[in-house]
Amino acid sequence: MATMTTPAVTTTVDLSVQSVRDLNSALHKAREGSWHVTRPDGAHNLAVGLDAPLDVRIDGHAGYYCAGMNQHATVTVHGNTGVGTAENMMSGTVRVRGNASQSAGATAHGGLLVVEGDAAARCGISMKGVDIVVGGSVGHMSAFMGQAGRLLVCGDAGDALGDSLYEARIYVRGRVKSLGADCVEKEMRGEHLEDVRELLTAAAFTDIDPSEFRRYGSARALYHFDVDNSSAY
Amino acid sequence: MYDDPSARGLRESATFDRATIHAIQRAAETGVYDIRGWGAKRRLPHFDDLLFLGASMSRYPLEGYRERCGTDVVLGDRHATFPLHLDTPVTIAGMSFGALSGRAKEALGRGASDAGTSTTTGDGGMTPEERGQSKHLVYQYLPSRYGMNPDDLRKADAIEVVLGQGAKPGGGGMLLGQKITERVAGMRTLPVGVDQRSACRHPDWTGPDDLEIKIRELREITDWEKPVYVKIGATRTYYDVKLAAKAGADVIVVDGMQGGTAATQDVFIEHVGIPTLAALPQAVRALQEEGLHRKVQLIVSGGIRSGADVAKCMALGADAVAIGTAALIALGDNHPKWEAEYRELGSAAGYYDDFQAGRDPAGISTQDEELAARLDPVEGGRRLANYLRVMTMEAQTIARACGKAHLHHLEPEDLVALTIEASAMARVPLAGTDWIPGAGR
Ligand SMILES: Cc1cc2nc3c(=O)[nH]c(=O)nc-3n(C[C@H](O)[C@H](O)[C@H](O)COP(=O)(O)O)c2cc1C
């Protein structure tokens, strides 16, 4: 029988002393517990491939692929993150207190990614079921080829939002610089207001009014090859 | 039966031959480009243009069937705790479930495992059929990331980061609506029946510096256990191989322009990329210059058909080869017994390349359950294993004749070229001369 560790126990990993390999290896072996990562100094691949309901707090900036392929864990970064934050996440929660670089939440299948600041270009690229909530704005080509899931942006969106979109749903509160190929604005109905409310609650952005968001989705005009669409391919 | 117009003195244009005329007529009628499967069909400088110099007075041959000639290969021992140990250097290339039926994937796994080699997933995720039947399974990590998940990553024996394919370097995958059934759509998170265009660029990295970090991420997730391959379509092979090695690949897969595909524009297949024969020596030179030849293993694919092709690849410096089209033929693709049905589809046995259409009479490149049921995975696996054994024995036959106790002992010195093109590309002398065009002699 495994011995129960009390949830109050927090393991600290100081990355100025220990390596990223030490950290990930320990996290892969753990089945539960709280972890505190200090002095990350922008290191790449922090807390990747987690597969248990761990609670990981990273104090400082993280590099590329922070919390990549996360399953079940809650990872909070008290700083900014590099490219591909929570890429291909399956479940769990990743929260970035600062800003996230390009391709945040890329191809993620599930779970919740919250970026409290801004997310750069290609936020939610090829998303496959994840929920992404961005407190600030997102850069160009966000939700490019988004297949499923929801992207909620409390600020503005850059150029070519939702280009070549499949079935992902996009909600934006601010200005959309331009829509990508086959992405159109759609009517906000009750179920969509409910979506927005749910996402804001999950992200704990409680002071924002859901009715201020607009909805964007696929016109589904590029789902089948058609000679008349050749300029859009 | 057929009237032969040339017998009446009529002359076919070499520039506008019948296939070209047909392509123009087809384009004019439909207004869409031709999408098809298979690889380049044009004639290219290839391994047929090389010959071995068997041993005689100045070299001793080995006794066939008596003196040992090793064929095993270890792939991925640069960084991985568990490299792949294969009995033969002939591996099965990545072909997606979606492009192929679940039963075809299972047959590939059975055949490969029986022959002691690896098989590879494809642009559509890992199926239980192939995982279950494959002793060594390479899991592809593609731009689309369809079905990509860490559980399957951990189940894999190696990970292959795909940058491109020889049939379409610079292009993404394609799967037409008729093959996006409920199961395929579910695995790819797509609406049923869409004409799927997969991305051609990875969503979260660009360039070799990013790739280095990406490879480390994959290693971290899998605790440095699994070899990481990088697959590239042959174009600027010398530079691409150097960059892939620098990015930390354990194994590099170079796929020449003859390489097969399930669905690509004909214009792309025939006009982008360089022949396998031209790419292989460039890849070897790149690794040698980095001091990584044989440390980072090189797998070559694109038009590999026989043990002779295998032996020639080994002699030019490859560690292993991969086969796609030939494996499908071994399963039963293009078999004459389906001739009548091929004709109904406007094709013929030996010509059928409409893998994109999903109506494959042999039941291989289809998602139609009735058609797929025509392929018995056990029988298909047996045929593939036979074919893999024949290729391996053929390669051994040649290696022994060249006096080599292992396929990896074959060397460029054992080869000559039949044509000036092949000589220049392979950097081996034109037969009967000591001349290599461009080598400064
Ligand atoms: C039906 C079919 C499907 C393929 N699917 C993929 C794929 O999903 N991913 C990939 O990297 N290559 C794919 N390929 C290319 C093969 O992996 C391999 O590079 C090629 O077939 C080798 O050339 P050959 O067919 O001449 O042996 C596919 C090829 C075929 C014939």
Side-chain angles (χ1 to χ4, degrees), chain A residues 21 24 28 44-45 49 64-65 68 71 83 87-88 90 103 107 109 128 145 147 166 223-225 227, chain B residues 31 144-146 148 150-151 154 176 188-189 193-195 197 203-205 210 213-214 217 220 223-224:
Chain A
R21 181 79 287 260
N24 287 325
H28 293 173
H44 303 307
N45 304 325
Y64 281 40
Y65 312 131
Q71 289 170 291
V83 172
E87 66 86 16
N88 216 88
M90 306 302 291
S103 304
T107 76
H109 287 70
K128 295 172 173 32
M145 292 184 107
Q147 294 170 229
Y166 289 103
Y223 276 19
H224 299 282
F225 285 110
V227 60
Chain B
S144 70
R145 311 275 166 89
Y146 291 138
M148 169 51 55
D151 294 327
R154 292 182 199 105
L176 300 191
R188 299 182 187 217
T189 328
V194 296
D195 289 332
R197 307 146 285 157
D204 56 355
W205 65 270
D210 283 7
I213 306 170
K214 175 51 77 178
E217 184 205 6
E220 282 295 326
D223 291 312
W224 292 73

Side-chain angles (χ1 to χ4, degrees), chain A residues 20-25 28 44-45 48-51 64-71 83-84 87-88 90 102-103 106-107 109 122 125-129 141 144-145 147-148 164-167 182 220 222-227 232-233, chain B residues 30-33 35 141 143-151 153-154 174-177 187-199 201-206 209-224:
Chain A
V20 171
R21 181 79 287 260
D22 294 336
L23 170 68
N24 287 325
S25 166
H28 293 173
H44 303 307
N45 304 325
V48 296
L50 305 193
D51 189 20
Y64 281 40
Y65 312 131
C66 180
M69 298 213 191
N70 187 50
Q71 289 170 291
V83 172
E87 66 86 16
N88 216 88
M90 306 302 291
Q102 293 191 55
S103 304
T107 76
H109 287 70
R122 302 181 185 85
I125 182 172
S126 286
M127 55 197 283
K128 295 172 173 32
M141 299 296 275
F144 175 55
M145 292 184 107
Q147 294 170 229
S164 306
L165 197 65
Y166 289 103
E167 296 292 304
D182 212 28
R220 304 187 178 97
L222 299 181
Y223 276 19
H224 299 282
F225 285 110
D226 180 343
V227 60
Y233 291 132
Chain B
T30 63
V32 287
Y33 44 50
I35 296 173
Y141 189 74
S144 70
R145 311 275 166 89
Y146 291 138
M148 169 51 55
N149 70 80
D151 294 327
L153 202 65
R154 292 182 199 105
M174 241 183 206
L175 197 64
L176 300 191
M187 278 180 70
R188 299 182 187 217
T189 328
L190 286 171
V192 174
V194 296
D195 289 332
Q196 165 233 300
R197 307 146 285 157
S198 7
R201 283 206 308 261
H202 279 264
D204 56 355
W205 65 270
T206 31
D209 297 333
D210 283 7
L211 176 58
E212 185 172 351
I213 306 170
K214 175 51 77 178
I215 288 177
R216 285 185 85 94
E217 184 205 6
L218 296 171
R219 292 195 197 284
E220 282 295 326
I221 291 171
T222 53
D223 291 312
W224 292 73

Side-chain angles (χ1 to χ4, degrees), chain A residues 40-44 46 58 60-64 66 77 79-82:
Chain A
D41 294 345
H44 303 307
L46 296 180
I58 299 175
H61 305 310
Y64 281 40
C66 180
V77 183
N80 303 322
T81 55

Side-chain angles (χ1 to χ4, degrees), chain B residues 93-96 122-123 140 165 231 255 258-262 302-303 323-325:
Chain B
M95 294 183 273
S96 71
D123 196 6
Q140 285 200 325
Q165 273 177 246
K231 176 176 179 177
D255 190 27
Q258 295 97 323
T261 173
I323 57 168
T325 306

Side-chain angles (χ1 to χ4, degrees), chain A residues 106-158:
Chain A
T107 76
H109 287 70
L112 171 69
L113 168 63
V114 180
V115 178
E116 295 190 1
D118 298 323
R122 302 181 185 85
C123 178
I125 182 172
S126 286
M127 55 197 283
K128 295 172 173 32
V130 67
D131 284 332
I132 304 177
V133 181
V134 179
S137 299
V138 295
H140 64 266
M141 299 296 275
S142 286
F144 175 55
M145 292 184 107
Q147 294 170 229
R150 301 175 290 187
L151 170 65
L152 183 119
V153 181
C154 300
D156 304 329

